[in-house]
Amino acid sequence: MHPVCILLVLLSCFSVVSSGTSAPYHGIEKYAEEYPLPKLPYAYDGLEPHIDRATVKVHHTGHHAAYTTNMNAALKEWKNDDTSDSLSRSSLLRILQNLQDIPVQYRTKLRNNVGGYVNHALYWGCLSGNQGNRTPTGTVAADINTVFGSFSAFREKFTAEAASLFGSGYVWLSRQSSTSATAKPPLVITTSQNQDTPISEGLRPVLVIDVWEHAYYLKHQNLRAKHIGDWWALVDWEAVNVLDGWWAKMDVKVHEDL
Amino acid sequence: MLASRLFTVARAFPKHAALGCLVPRLKHTLPDLCYDFNALEPVISAEIMKLHYTKHHATYVNNLNITEDKMADALKNGDINTTISLQPALKFNGGGHLNHTIFWTNLSPSGGGEPTGDLMTAIRDDFGSFENFKKELSATTIAIQGSGWGWLGFNPVNGMLKVTTCANQDPLEPTTGLVPLLGIDVWEHAYYLQYKNVRPDYVKEIWNIINWENVTERFAKARMEKLQ
C-alpha cells in the first residue's frame, strides 16, 4: 500500500478511537478502586466571560477535588471494614441509588461526598464555551416543549426554583425512571439540598445548576440571579442531549443485565 | 459600653384592637452595628462585613417584613393554606434576622482570648476544659454540610452548656430549645471572599474576635431566666 494511504488509515483509526472527549461524568457507572478528579472539558477560562476563571478554578481544584478525596477515603474505609459487602464494590451510580443500604456509620459521609463528586461532574458536563450549542435542540428540547408548553415557560420555572432555593443546593431537569425500553420517560424539574441528588430518587438528570454560594460568590457576591443568567448563557444543549443519550444507554444495559 | 449591649430584635406583632381595626405593624429593622466594617480585620475583611450586613442581613430583614405582612393578611382572612405555605419563608428570614443579630454582638474588634468567671467555670464543668470546648465547637462547625451555623447553647432544662449546629437559617431556640450564646456563621458568604473554600482557616481565626463579654451576658441572662 502507498505510504500516504497507510498513514491515512492509521490516522482515521486513531481519530475513531479518540473521537469525542470524555465527559466529566464518564466512569460513575462502573466500579473503580479509586476515582480521579474528572477533567474539565474546557480550560479554567473557557467559560469566560460568564463564569470567571478564578471561580472555575477554585470550584474544581478546591471544592470538587475535596469531594473526590473525601469520597475515596470513605469508600476505602467502608471496603476495608467489610470485605463481603458488594455495594461498597459497586459503581458510584449504584451507591447513590441505594443510599439506604450503606452501613449507617458511612452513610452520611458517602451521601455527601459521592453526591458532591457526581453532582459536580454533571454540572461541568452540561456547560461549555461553545457558542454554537446555545439553542435548545434535539429530543430534550422537544420534550421540554411537550411538558412545559414552551422553552421560555420551562426556563422561567427553572429560574424561579434556582432563585428561591434556601441555603445550598441544586436545581435539576431529569427524566423519570424508564419503564419501557423504547419510550422516553417524561422530564421533571426538581431541587436538592446540599449534595443530595435526584439519582437517589431514581431520576436521570440531564441538566443541573449549582446554586451553592461558592458557585458564584467571587464574581456576583449575593446576587444569585446574575449567576443564573450566566449559567443559562453557558448551557450546551448538545452536551445535554449527549447526557440524555448516555442515560438511555445505561437503561438499555440494565435491561440487558436483567 | 455599646459593645456589651445585648440586642433584642425589634418585636412586631399585630395588635388586634377592636374587630376589623388593625394597628399598623412595626417593621423589623437592621440592628446597629457597634463597630465599623473594617474593625474586625484581619479576621473578617471590611468587604465581607459590608456585604454580609448591608446585603445578606438586610435581605433577611426585608423579606421577613414582607412574609409577616402576607402572614398577617392570611391570618386575618382565615386562609390556613397560605399561613402554612408561608412558614418556610418565615423560618428562613426570621431565623436569618435572629441569627445575624446575635452574631454581630458575638464579635468585637477587642475580642479574643478566653472567658473568665462563671462562664469559664461552666465551660470547664461541661466540656472538661476551654481547649476541649474550642475543639468541639470548631470541629462541629467546620463539618456542617452546606449552609448553617455552629452554636454554643444553654440548655434551660438542665442548666448545661451544649455545642450543636443548625442548618440554613434555622434559629437555635425554636429548633432545639437551647438558648443561643455564641454562633459561628459558616454560610459561604460569611468567609468566601477572604478564605475561599478553606473554611477551617476562617473558623480558626474567628476565635480571635469573640466578644466574651457579650457571651457572658447572654449566659447570665439565660441562667437567671432558668432560675425563675
Side-chain angles (χ1 to χ4, degrees), chain B residues 64-80:
Chain B
L64 175 61
N65 286 327
I66 290 169
T67 306
E68 284 191 351
D69 278 345
K70 289 183 184 168
M71 185 70 98
D73 283 343
L75 287 166
K76 193 173 78 176
N77 298 330
D79 181 352
I80 304 176

Side-chain angles (χ1 to χ4, degrees), chain A residues 15 36 47 70 85 95 114 133 141 147 161 178 184 224 244 252:
Chain A
S15 70
L47 302 182
N70 294 339
D85 190 356
I95 287 172
V114 179
N133 295 343
V147 173
E161 292 286 355
S178 169
K184 278 277 191 184
R224 189 193 283 179
D244 190 34
V252 166

Side-chain angles (χ1 to χ4, degrees), chain A residues 58-59 61-63 67 108 112 166-168 193-195 212-215 217-218 221-222, chain B residues 47 51-52 55-56 59 88-89 92-93 145-147 168 187-190 192-193 196-197:
Chain A
V58 70
H59 203 168
T61 63
H63 297 273
Y67 287 119
T108 301
N112 292 329
F166 288 158
S168 308
Q193 284 282 302
N194 297 339
Q195 295 300 344
W212 279 62
E213 285 176 325
H214 64 239
Y217 211 81
L218 292 181
Q221 289 83 62
N222 59 307
Chain B
E47 192 187 9
L51 278 163
H52 206 170
K55 301 292 181 194
H56 293 274
T59 301
F92 185 64
N93 293 295
Q145 281 301 310
S147 310
N168 296 338
W187 277 66
E188 287 171 326
H189 65 239
Y192 208 78
L193 293 180
K196 310 282 187 307
N197 58 309

Side-chain angles (χ1 to χ4, degrees), chain B:
Chain B
M1 239 261 278
L2 275 179
S4 65
R5 184 159 51 96
L6 276 173
F7 277 111
T8 50
V9 175
R11 302 284 286 230
F13 290 106
K15 292 187 166 80
H16 295 282
L19 206 68
C21 171
L22 203 66
V23 172
R25 215 172 48 75
L26 290 171
K27 299 274 189 197
H28 297 286
T29 55
L30 265 179
D32 289 332
L33 213 52
C34 290
Y35 36 77
D36 290 339
F37 292 135
N38 62 7
L40 302 180
E41 293 200 338
V43 175
I44 302 178
S45 68
E47 192 187 9
I48 287 179
M49 283 304 296
K50 190 171 180 192
L51 278 163
H52 206 170
Y53 179 78
T54 66
K55 301 292 181 194
H56 293 274
H57 191 174
T59 301
Y60 290 124
V61 170
N62 194 40
N63 289 341
L64 175 61
N65 286 327
I66 290 169
T67 306
E68 284 191 351
D69 278 345
K70 289 183 184 168
M71 185 70 98
D73 283 343
L75 287 166
K76 193 173 78 176
N77 298 330
D79 181 352
I80 304 176
N81 279 322
T82 302
T83 308
I84 292 171
S85 72
L86 287 168
Q87 283 177 358
L90 194 69
K91 181 160 90 164
F92 185 64
N93 293 295
H97 182 29
L98 286 171
N99 294 340
H100 288 87
T101 300
I102 295 167
F103 189 50
W104 308 135
T105 68
N106 282 162
L107 307 175
S108 161
S110 56
E114 295 180 0
T116 57
D118 284 351
L119 177 58
M120 187 53 137
T121 307
I123 286 174
R124 286 189 178 131
D125 284 346
D126 297 337
F127 296 97
S129 68
F130 179 76
E131 270 312 305
N132 283 353
F133 153 65
K134 187 175 166 179
K135 257 193 210 138
E136 188 178 328
L137 180 55
S138 297
T140 312
T141 303
I142 289 164
I144 291 171
Q145 281 301 310
S147 310
W149 293 71
W151 289 102
L152 171 65
F154 174 83
N155 187 334
V157 172
N158 62 15
M160 288 181 72
L161 296 175
K162 186 150 169 55
V163 159
T164 191
T165 64
C166 282
N168 296 338
Q169 293 298 351
D170 293 355
L172 186 70
E173 196 161 0
T175 308
T176 66
L178 298 172
V179 176
L181 304 184
L182 167 63
I184 301 178
D185 185 355
V186 287
W187 277 66
E188 287 171 326
H189 65 239
Y191 60 89
Y192 208 78
L193 293 180
Q194 202 174 339
Y195 296 90
K196 310 282 187 307
N197 58 309
V198 194
R199 189 192 275 178
D201 282 357
Y202 158 71
V203 172
K204 179 165 174 263
E205 292 304 316
I206 207 168
W207 291 96
N208 294 314
I209 51 170
I210 301 299
N211 182 350
W212 290 113
E213 216 180 299
N214 176 266
V215 182
T216 301
E217 279 186 35
R218 292 181 180 277
F219 173 62
K221 183 169 186 275
R223 264 213 314 198
M224 198 145 66
E225 282 173 1
K226 179 197 184 315
L227 290 172
Q228 284 163 2

Side-chain angles (χ1 to χ4, degrees), chain A residues 181-197:
Chain A
T182 48
K184 278 277 191 184
L187 291 167
V188 63
I189 296 174
T190 62
T191 65
S192 66
Q193 284 282 302
N194 297 339
Q195 295 300 344
D196 288 350
T197 167

